[in-house]
Amino acid sequence: MIRHKRLFYISIMLLSLCFLLGLSFPYGKPLGEQLLHALGIPAHSNPETETGLHYANLGLIVILTCGITCLFYALEKFRLRALLISFLFFTSGPTMLVQAYQTTIAGGLHAITYNKEDSECTYQLDEKTKTIDAECFIPLTNHSNDEVQFDLEFIDQNDNHSLTDGLMNMEGPYTLVLEPHMSKTFQIKAKIDVRDLKQDQYIQSGGSQSIPIKLIKDGAVMDYSGY
């Protein structure tokens, strides 16, 4: 089945490296992007807005392509099946591994999962007082056997919605508590003073979904800006 053992071992090393560099737990950004930042190399071609060509993802694509190519030529049979399994392992493996860890052996902050897709915030500007009545719904689950208390902060990103989400921190951080094996959607309200802000820095009326947040406890951070 294996025609070239050396190529096979190289493919396993490259695919494993690609898998590890793609992991974004618990810091919200893939390990490859974190390494670029540590080396002082911007992860995007437009680093100020974090847009344009994503160098970390480009590197992952190159490594993945090399790994799959080596695997293809290393095998004598079942080539297409092996390539399909490798691709699925790379695309779904990191998420499945993190979920398995969080729901089984993780403790403390790492045992908390965030159903980001079901999160939302709504905003309504009061023209007279120049304050925004804000309300956010944040669904969290504690998979551990212990109560976990932590602080929640909202994350600014590069679009108008998440900039408004970040303004929630003017009344934060928000201290939350989850009992063991508890799932709860936290309702967080705030009045945001926007008198000193320009109109393009916040939403006057409307809402946003998939809210980027981070959880903080005793110096540990869970960043949910990227997943």
Side-chain angles (χ1 to χ4, degrees):
M1 179 179 173
I2 299 177
R3 182 167 55 181
H4 298 291
K5 288 187 177 181
R6 180 174 295 181
L7 275 181
F8 179 76
Y9 294 140
I10 291 174
S11 69
I12 297 301
M13 291 176 60
L14 290 174
L15 292 174
S16 299
L17 177 63
C18 195
F19 179 88
L20 291 174
L21 293 177
L23 284 174
S24 56
F25 179 85
Y27 302 109
K29 294 183 178 180
L31 179 59
E33 186 171 337
Q34 296 176 49
L35 290 175
L36 289 181
H37 283 301
L39 296 172
I41 302 173
H44 299 80
S45 56
N46 298 321
E48 293 184 358
T49 59
E50 294 189 350
T51 57
L53 187 63
H54 195 289
Y55 298 132
N57 285 347
L58 180 61
L60 286 179
I61 293 173
V62 171
I63 297 173
L64 178 63
T65 302
C66 292
I68 288 179
T69 301
C70 289
L71 183 63
F72 180 84
Y73 286 106
L75 297 178
E76 187 173 357
K77 297 180 179 180
F78 310 117
R79 288 177 171 179
L80 294 180
R81 189 179 303 176
L83 297 186
L84 178 60
I85 293 174
S86 299
F87 181 77
L88 292 176
F89 176 76
F90 171 73
T91 55
S92 304
T95 300
M96 295 175 62
L97 178 63
V98 170
Q99 289 177 345
Y101 169 70
Q102 288 189 289
T103 56
T104 54
I105 63 176
L109 200 62
H110 287 173
I112 296 177
T113 57
Y114 173 40
N115 192 358
K116 188 176 180 181
E117 293 181 355
D118 290 338
S119 64
E120 63 175 342
C121 289
T122 57
Y123 306 100
Q124 182 60 55
L125 176 67
D126 187 327
E127 291 285 357
K128 293 182 179 179
T129 62
K130 288 296 180 182
T131 59
I132 293 177
D133 290 316
E135 184 177 33
C136 293
F137 296 92
I138 307 295
L140 299 169
T141 299
N142 177 14
H143 296 279
S144 73
N145 296 320
D146 302 310
E147 176 183 285
V148 183
Q149 179 175 315
F150 51 92
D151 291 334
L152 181 148
E153 292 185 6
F154 294 83
I155 298 176
D156 284 336
Q157 293 185 321
N158 295 312
D159 58 80
N160 188 259
H161 279 188
S162 58
L163 285 174
T164 309
D165 298 335
L167 294 177
M168 292 287 292
N169 293 326
M170 294 173 66
E171 293 197 9
Y174 303 91
T175 300
L176 308 177
V177 178
L178 275 174
E179 300 291 335
H181 302 288
M182 171 186 280
S183 294
K184 181 177 180 179
T185 298
F186 289 92
Q187 183 182 22
I188 300 174
K189 294 183 178 182
K191 279 189 172 294
I192 305 172
D193 188 341
V194 295
R195 287 175 293 182
D196 297 329
L197 300 178
K198 298 178 181 179
Q199 287 190 357
D200 61 354
Q201 293 179 298
Y202 58 86
I203 302 172
Q204 296 187 31
S205 177
S208 56
Q209 291 79 40
S210 297
I211 312 302
I213 64 170
K214 60 182 176 180
L215 309 180
I216 305 168
K217 177 179 172 61
D218 300 328
V221 177
M222 283 285 292
D223 187 313
Y224 287 102
S225 60
Y227 59 92

